Amino acid sequence: MDLDAVQRDALTVLYWHRLVSTEQVHRLVSPTLSPVTLRAKLAGLRRAGLADRITREHRPRTWHVTPAGAEVVEAAGSVDARAYRLPGTAVAHLLQEHTLDVVETGLAFIETARERGDECGPLSWTPEVAHQFRDRAGDRRGVVIADAVLHYVLEEAGRRTQRTLFVELDRATMPVARLARKLVGYIRYHDHTPAGSGQRLAWRERYPRFPRVLIVLSGAEPSVLERRLADLRAHAQAMPVVSTAAGRLDMVATTLPQLLAGGPLKPVAMPLLGDPRRVTVFGRLS
């Protein structure tokens, strides 16, 4: 099949993010294109055997690449090959809401960047990025898997600055206490120095500075999410491993409705440690 530019971009987005709704593909790839035209282009990918869809009652139609579509993207070499493939349909149904909310989180950044002239596109975040660590005693090994690592180039006061976030999304399926314990993994990764590294922190091999941890809460009514937000901050402050990390790394939390309504450069995020006043997801900008 001779793919046009929109279809090539759509196929790449489906490959990179695994599951994307029709409406999200439209906003990611070509928001000025008519929705009817975009649906026709996706249908063309399906007829060619490069993409397929998951249809559920009262759920958005969700698209993914087929094995043949994955081969086309990998052969093009426009993105790094992903180590996974979409699991079976039953598992995909379980992943759908969480994956779509991660994409929706990324879209909040994309749409703000478009408005401001910043840099953040459909491939500016990588889903499911693993980071291995050992604790300071060297006797406990673990891994923290960010739901996404997101990169944003901010135009601020005439300067361009690269901002990086570890994004952790929870759809109100995890007890707040367990969600707070996930922060410990990020702290241990931050403090991890591999043997023979001369005390050089492991994360410096991957990042120029340690990414801010952004917790995004979704999957419930706004009032419930606000309570979970307050409870998460209380748990973080009560956990010695987390509370003593203030000043070493930044951790903030918000809700997906707030992030979508205000955008990442409005004060929609609550610091989990220190001053509770709301900030942007990047902190207090000058």
Side-chain angles (χ1 to χ4, degrees), residues 153-179:
V153 179
L154 179 69
E155 294 276 358
E156 181 188 6
R159 296 183 299 113
R160 287 169 59 84
T161 56
Q162 172 77 56
R163 305 301 179 100
T164 306
L165 297 169
F166 289 140
V167 179
E168 190 75 37
L169 187 132
D170 174 69
R171 282 189 48 82
T173 57
M174 186 181 299
V176 172
R178 182 181 168 196
L179 181 60

